[in-house]
Amino acid sequence: EAQVTQNPRYLITVTGKKLTVTCSQNMNHEYMSWYRQDPGLGLRQIYYSMNVEVTDKGDVPEGYKVSRKEKRNFPLILESPSPNQTSLYFCASSLLGAQETQYFGPGTRLLVL
Amino acid sequence: AQSVTQLGSHVSVSEGALVLLRCNYSSSVPPYLFWYVQYPNQGLQLLLKYTSAATLVKGINGFEAEFKKSETSFHLTKPSAHMSDAAEYFCAVVWGSARQLTFGSGTQLTVLP
């Protein structure tokens, strides 16, 4: 089944404790992206990648890191989480091309205490 | 900056009534336009998209949307609402060669029995 998977689905952590949210897709997509969803703000892009070893900032990159060492994986790293990073996070992937549909993972709900 | 506006953060309709969810974008350059749906505790799923072919686009679950360049709008409609349509709906836009998907703030649709 074609899908985007994220782990963990739920995470509670404390300020300053490094964490990684994994994202993997099995559709051989070149493009991958991370978004955060906050009430009343819709989804905002954190980082995106157009291919292996090619990443770029989205609208809200501060406090986040990403890497793309393999085509299928695109982990999101929070080196020192803060409470304002409490949010619902989505990973997405697509073929290259502005008109291509992005396929979303099920989301990771993060609470930073 | 280019933006997407969804009028009405909450819309309620009776079962069997017309659904109309509004989306306007700000740009002089025709974009690619998408409507995504998010059911509770799930990721986003594509309903339909406009990619400069037909201006009236039909999607899944009986939804359709019409691209109106003169009004810079891409409103989502469904003739008869079902209880299963209750969800949050997001309009999203990509401009030109940009890879970045910009989302509206979302509209929560409630269907009343």
Side-chain angles (χ1 to χ4, degrees), chain A residues 8-12 37 87-89 107-111, chain B residues 41:
Chain A
R9 294 288 313 277
Y10 303 91
L11 181 59
I12 301 174
Q37 182 181 13
S87 188
L88 179 57
Y89 292 87
T108 296
R109 189 169 292 279
L110 173 65
L111 173 61
Chain B
N41 299 314

Side-chain angles (χ1 to χ4, degrees), chain A residues 5-70:
Chain A
T5 57
Q6 296 179 228
N7 283 292
R9 294 288 313 277
Y10 303 91
L11 181 59
I12 301 174
T13 190
V14 295
T15 299
K17 186 175 182 182
K18 180 180 179 179
L19 66 90
T20 299
V21 183
T22 64
C23 173
S24 183
Q25 51 93 5
N26 63 1
M27 294 170 279
N28 202 35
H29 286 163
E30 297 89 358
Y31 183 88
M32 296 186 74
S33 181
W34 277 102
Y35 299 88
R36 60 178 288 174
Q37 182 181 13
D38 302 290
L41 298 177
L43 281 78
R44 294 176 293 168
Q45 190 178 51
I46 303 170
Y47 270 95
Y48 66 94
S49 169
M50 288 198 284
N51 214 328
V52 175
E53 303 292 1
V54 180
T55 63
D56 209 345
K57 296 177 181 178
D59 292 323
V60 289
E62 294 77 20
Y64 304 95
K65 285 176 58 177
V66 293
S67 68
R68 187 92 181 272
K69 292 184 171 57
E70 304 167 283

Side-chain angles (χ1 to χ4, degrees), chain B:
Chain B
Q2 293 156 329
S3 64
V4 182
T5 302
Q6 290 184 241
L7 289 175
S9 58
H10 291 85
V11 170
S12 294
V13 300
S14 298
E15 192 173 18
L18 171 71
V19 176
L20 171 60
L21 305 182
R22 301 178 186 273
C23 174
N24 288 86
Y25 62 92
S26 64
S27 174
S28 59
V29 177
Y32 299 117
L33 294 145
F34 303 78
W35 274 100
Y36 283 86
V37 60
Q38 184 181 28
Y39 298 105
N41 299 314
Q42 294 187 27
L44 279 73
Q45 175 184 357
L46 182 74
L47 272 178
L48 49 82
K49 65 179 178 181
Y50 167 76
T51 58
S52 73
T55 57
L56 182 62
V57 181
K58 295 188 185 298
I60 62 172
N61 301 337
F63 284 93
E64 63 181 39
E66 186 172 8
F67 173 68
K68 292 187 176 180
K69 183 179 177 181
S70 61
E71 298 177 9
T72 60
S73 69
F74 190 56
H75 301 332
L76 181 70
T77 61
K78 182 174 180 177
S80 177
H82 294 170
M83 297 297 289
S84 59
D85 295 327
E88 189 157 23
Y89 293 80
F90 292 94
C91 181
V93 184
V94 173
W95 280 276
S97 60
R99 299 294 189 269
Q100 188 171 0
L101 195 61
T102 298
F103 284 87
S105 55
T107 298
Q108 182 69 47
L109 176 66
T110 300
V111 182
L112 304 170

